[in-house]
Amino acid sequence: MNKKHFSGIISLVALICMSACTKKVEKKPIDPIEKIISEMTLEEKVGQMTNLTLATIANETDSVVVLDTAKLNDVIIKHHVGSIQNVLTHAYTLNEWHSIIEPIQKLTLEKTRHKIPFLYCIDAVHGANYVYEGIQFPHNIGMAATRNRSLVKECGAITAVQTRAAGIRYNFAPVLDVGRNQQWSRLGETFGEDTYLVTEMGVSAIRGFEGGDVSNPLHVAACMKHFVGYSAALNGKDRASANIPEIVLREHYLPSFRAAVNEGTHTLMVNSAEINGTPVHASKYLLTDVLRTELGFKGVVITDWLDIVKLQERHQVAETHKDAVLLAVNAGIDMCIVPFDFKFTEDLIALVKEGKISEKRIDESVRRILQLKKDLGLFEHPYLEQEAVDAFSKPSYTETALQAARESITLLKNSNGLLPLSEDKKVLLTGPYADALSELHGAWSYSWQGNKEELYPDSLNTLAEIFKKDSPATCLFDLSAWSKANEWNKNVLFKSAKSADVIVICAGEAAYAETPGNIPDLAFDSTQTYIIKELAKTGKPIVLILLEGRPRIIREIEPYCSAIVLAYWPGSQGAQAIYDVIYGKYNPSGKLPYTYPRYSGTLITYDHKLLDEAVEIAEPYKYSYEFDPQYPFGHGLSYTTFAYSPIKISEDTLSGTDSLKVSVTIINTGVREGQEVVELYTRDVVASITPCVKRLRRFDKVNLMPGESKTIDFILSKADLAFVNEKLETVTEPGSFEIMISDQKVTLYYK
Ligand code: BGC
């Protein structure tokens, strides 16, 4: 070793020594959250984990909500509750929201020891549905039909602004459940049956809600819900048991949550139901091993409504309520929507005191909750933010709602080009929902069920009002005939029908939400069915407009209807959008986000196995073709026509982790401008787990003028051909794959 080297080593040692010495004296600044936690009592910590409903601190007199000071003090000061949610019975105006939230915050900041701001939470699931002046977009099922990611994001961003302007910074949305059972009463809240579609739309909604920075006064914290497998109920009912093999869970139900976690979503709500005999609220495997360890979720896990109580009362896995609290907290919940009393709070305090739950475990949850509040900017700006209030109302929001409703509308049938109607056609507008707002909005609209017609603002239009306004000369109305089941006035209706050229019937299902929406089967309303058949006897062509959250079986009436327009739950601009489609002011482009079943007893998704459609006709037995839906997933007509060029792939073979380009050119071959959804499906020709007949892997949407063409490129890599194998690994096996876009197909090899 020479001298130079030696002196070099000496100075390095000196440097390390110096920095070590400096480190010793340098005090690491205490994280403000840790400081608060270290000073909090157990009761204060558990209060942060307690979420109550507004009814515990307020009363409603003559429809006006008034805070109850005694109750408020009990909740906020005595029990240290850190968050409140919901409405009493209906939506409030912006001012009413301010008069609810501001005093709670004032009390919290002035009268509690640590001045931890309180947090208000709401279900703004299709726009600011609990803010009276808010805009309501189509429900997720309609948004999925748009296949328009940026529109979903934009609607999410407007929802965020209007929610935050009310003083609410936490939104229980979006639903990331994959709607694979068409009978499920919450299908309308999902983005449909396909995992990729749900994931893409769900992530777009989250980007709109959170905007990458929830301290921004124009955004809110999102809540991916309901983790996981909620939509897979065996009996098709809300909050019912499901059997989901791990391989299916990972293939279909987990990916949307994985993507939302990767997106940085702040919170997650747990599935109220049970999977394979374990209620998800009691599943340490799902809530800790999968969610925290495997997916790496760092945010807040909130229970669903009353779900700890239900561990005892419904699932019967806990003998006492206290046992239920023990199960859920040890499984991994951070915050409990109790929501009416202090049972959770008291039992949790007792469990910690008895040493059954460690205070360290409580600190973990409190840390996440305080971090959420910090991220939301509540510590710095706890009160109403003027920037949000200023941005509350813009004419462009209504435009967006109209555009979303138009793009969601899915033209299922259009015999002999009946639609669009020309302005001179005499129309009879009728049907049970032709003059209703509830069925245009569906669930979670001004009230939980969305069915209180009297709550809807006068400024909103029903379909009849739009027709009266825009086509007064040609439109006849007969609305009363349908008001009561079986009490329709046949003579009156027939008379009106006789003098019309076309009959437009607005039917479907009455508004509902969650469990009250449970039905024994998907049968279409029998009175509506009867009247439609009777009206068809006039020989006048019928246009059926369907307002429904899930596909009701129309097999019997479909032959009597020349055109069928599916509008889902299109929201506040729904009537105008339907009118625009019927009269061709907008060329429909919506595509079904689910398989529209033909029979209630045959509910199959488009990505089923070949075995599900096996046909064998061997005399003397007769087998029927088993996959014959009313309309397939992705179906949706336009007033123009499109043609696809043969698919081009940049390579025939995809190797390892490379990627390749798939291109297709679409030309508008009709005479009208139109939007076309371009969907790329793959089919694994041979795989170790029976492959699905096809799977959606990419989609895009193009607008084309008559004669115009555009080339769409999709970049694919091995992940786009993958599936979950027997060992629960996501793999791409070597071999052939079919790539399908519209009526075009090519084969690709993976090695
Ligand atoms: C629903 C949730 C909702 C919660 C809070 C529950 O009944 O399942 O989706 O977020 O209520 O309102």
Side-chain angles (χ1 to χ4, degrees), residues 718-739:
K718 74 179 219 189
D720 301 305
L721 306 171
F723 68 96
V724 178
N725 73 5
E726 203 182 3
K727 292 185 193 149
L728 305 179
E729 301 154 342
T730 300
V731 294
T732 306
E733 291 175 346
S736 324
F737 292 82
E738 279 175 359
I739 309 289

Side-chain angles (χ1 to χ4, degrees), residues 642-708:
F642 300 98
Y644 283 70
S645 71
I647 301 169
K648 283 194 197 140
I649 41 175
S650 56
E651 322 274 343
D652 286 348
T653 304
L654 179 66
S655 317
T657 53
D658 290 356
S659 52
L660 56 73
K661 188 159 83 182
V662 178
S663 313
V664 72
T665 302
I666 305 104
I667 179 162
N668 182 343
T669 47
V671 292
R672 294 184 56 121
E673 177 184 2
Q675 284 178 291
E676 169 72 339
V677 171
V678 185
E679 292 189 324
L680 182 151
Y681 293 87
T682 66
R683 184 172 85 87
D684 201 340
V685 177
V686 175
S688 60
I689 293 293
T690 54
C692 302
V693 291
K694 61 177 189 170
R695 291 193 59 173
L696 182 67
R697 302 293 194 169
R698 285 282 188 280
F699 60 86
D700 206 341
K701 195 167 185 176
V702 282
N703 189 77
L704 294 170
M705 300 305 283
E708 193 188 0

Side-chain angles (χ1 to χ4, degrees), residues 526-547:
S526 57
T527 307
Q528 293 180 29
T529 302
Y530 176 70
I531 302 178
I532 290 168
K533 282 184 181 171
E534 286 294 301
L535 279 174
K537 290 181 185 161
T538 60
K540 304 292 165 92
I542 290 178
V543 177
L544 176 64
I545 296 161
L546 289 172
L547 294 178

Side-chain angles (χ1 to χ4, degrees), residues 213-347:
D213 173 13
V214 296
S215 73
N216 184 323
L218 304 183
H219 290 282
V220 292
C223 180
M224 42 177 144
K225 69 186 191 183
H226 308 76
F227 185 79
V228 60
Y230 182 27
S231 50
L234 278 173
N235 63 4
K237 306 288 196 295
D238 184 32
R239 292 172 159 85
S241 62
N243 290 342
I244 313 177
E246 190 74 20
I247 191 169
V248 176
L249 187 89
R250 286 167 181 280
E251 187 68 84
H252 292 296
Y253 297 100
L254 206 52
S256 51
F257 289 96
R258 189 190 294 273
V261 170
N262 292 341
E263 195 58 35
T265 313
H266 277 77
T267 81
L268 171 144
M269 189 182 286
V270 181
N271 165 11
S272 286
E274 60 185 63
I275 302 178
N276 310 333
T278 302
V280 182
H281 282 82
S283 173
K284 188 158 202 274
Y285 168 65
L286 288 172
L287 297 185
T288 298
D289 301 350
V290 174
L291 181 63
R292 300 283 185 198
T293 313
E294 186 184 329
L295 303 193
F297 181 58
K298 303 253 181 319
V300 172
V301 171
I302 188 164
T303 71
D304 202 341
W305 188 266
L306 265 177
D307 273 315
I308 291 191
V309 172
K310 286 183 196 149
L311 288 179
Q312 181 197 4
E313 292 180 1
R314 293 280 293 164
H315 302 283
Q316 301 179 311
V317 292
E319 209 167 319
T320 62
H321 180 266
K322 200 167 168 189
D323 291 345
V325 174
L326 180 66
L327 268 176
V329 173
N330 279 341
I333 69 104
D334 295 316
M335 193 188 275
C336 175
I337 303 187
V338 185
F340 298 109
D341 52 36
F342 300 110
K343 255 163 67 185
F344 165 78
T345 326
E346 283 155 9
D347 281 344

